[in-house]
Amino acid sequence: MNGQNLNQEAIDIIVEQVLAKMGKSTLIVLTTANGYHQEIATQLEIWPGIQWHILANQLSTGELAAVHHLGNQVHWDGVNPSQWLNHYEQILFPFLDFATLGEVSNGLYLTPASQLFQYALMKGIPTYALDYQCDLNNELNQLLGLSSNVAMRKRTALQLSNITKLGAKIGSLLTIKAYMLGIPEQRDSVLVSSMPSGYITLNEVKNKGVSAYTLQDNLTDLAAEYIKEQQLQ
């Protein structure tokens, strides 16, 4: 029996390796992130049909530590991005940051990330990005205290709109998963656990109902505003 179990385990490993090699060749470009490293990596790990390749820079050590097990790390010497990108069928920016967003939105090519982002769009390579880091309306940036300035929120929203018009797909993890895997988008929240202990998120309030909480609870700003709006109705 033990021999049979070992043989089956070896077979399963071989099958997984073969399926991984058959998956769609996808480049992950890492940029610096303020949070959600492990939560995002955990979700990417279970996406089927993808062969991950990871490009990191010298500043994204924490991000690389979270996702390094997903696939092989690759290197780019900064030369001929158009030809280098021919190896990949699609590209994902799991931690799209303000700097890269600003560069791409304004047509600047200052960093490797923004260069690859824009060359991928020019070549028609499907280009995706998660917006947790760079959308000031997201709860992560609310918790970091970065959402107080209305003008700045409008500017980042405009920048996100601009790169969407260029052909990029930007959104939450579930939205991008639906795009990349061609499956219906689910409505479940997958990043609630990443919030600091004691904070109640908007998703939790919607899932459990407004009556389960009061304004005296430790709510995120979005959750508090939602409860206020519901109480006025």
Side-chain angles (χ1 to χ4, degrees):
M1 182 66 69
N2 290 336
Q4 293 177 349
N5 290 338
L6 287 174
N7 290 337
Q8 185 60 50
E9 182 179 351
I11 293 172
D12 291 342
I13 292 175
I14 294 173
V15 169
E16 290 179 3
Q17 292 174 342
V18 171
L19 290 176
K21 291 181 179 180
M22 294 175 59
K24 184 174 290 187
S25 182
T26 303
L27 177 66
I28 292 179
V29 179
L30 297 181
T31 53
T32 56
N34 289 320
Y36 291 170
H37 301 73
Q38 195 57 57
E39 290 79 7
I40 289 173
T42 298
Q43 294 299 316
L44 297 181
E45 186 174 7
I46 60 175
W47 288 11
I50 294 181
Q51 182 184 5
W52 299 108
H53 302 265
I54 305 164
L55 178 67
N57 61 56
Q58 60 183 0
L59 299 178
S60 56
T61 55
E63 294 77 15
L64 179 59
V67 304
H68 73 92
H69 63 287
L70 298 180
N72 297 324
Q73 185 177 357
V74 297
H75 302 277
W76 177 46
D77 59 7
V79 177
N80 201 342
S82 178
Q83 181 177 351
W84 189 77
L85 285 169
N86 285 336
H87 299 289
Y88 306 105
E89 299 175 65
Q90 55 187 1
I91 183 170
L92 172 66
F93 290 75
F95 308 116
L96 182 64
D97 60 328
F98 294 116
T100 306
L101 170 64
E103 288 186 35
V104 175
S105 176
N106 290 285
L108 303 177
Y109 295 79
L110 304 178
T111 61
S114 66
Q115 292 175 40
L116 292 174
F117 199 117
Q118 292 174 88
Y119 271 93
L121 290 176
M122 285 188 280
K123 290 174 65 65
I125 298 174
T127 303
Y128 308 96
L130 304 183
D131 64 0
Y132 298 108
Q133 308 293 324
C134 62
D135 183 351
L136 287 177
N137 293 312
N138 277 338
E139 287 181 328
L140 172 61
N141 287 315
Q142 293 243 350
L143 292 174
L144 293 172
L146 299 177
S147 301
S148 300
N149 188 315
V150 175
M152 289 297 293
R153 293 205 305 270
K154 290 181 178 179
R155 189 181 76 173
T156 56
L158 178 60
Q159 290 174 328
L160 286 167
S161 176
N162 286 341
I163 65 175
T164 298
K165 292 176 182 177
L166 295 174
K169 301 294 186 183
I170 313 295
S172 69
L173 195 145
L174 290 178
T175 297
I176 299 305
K177 178 181 180 180
Y179 278 129
M180 294 181 70
L181 302 185
I183 59 176
E185 183 177 353
Q186 301 174 6
R187 299 182 62 86
D188 298 333
S189 173
V190 297
L191 293 178
V192 169
S193 63
S194 66
M195 290 296 175
S197 177
Y199 282 88
I200 299 169
T201 68
L202 174 60
N203 287 319
E204 288 178 290
V205 173
K206 287 184 175 180
N207 289 337
K208 295 185 179 180
V210 172
S211 60
Y213 302 100
T214 71
L215 293 175
Q216 283 68 49
D217 292 321
N218 288 331
L219 304 164
T220 64
D221 290 344
L222 286 178
E225 288 299 320
Y226 178 78
I227 289 178
K228 291 177 183 177
E229 291 174 359
Q230 296 300 308
Q231 289 177 345
L232 292 175
Q233 295 180 3

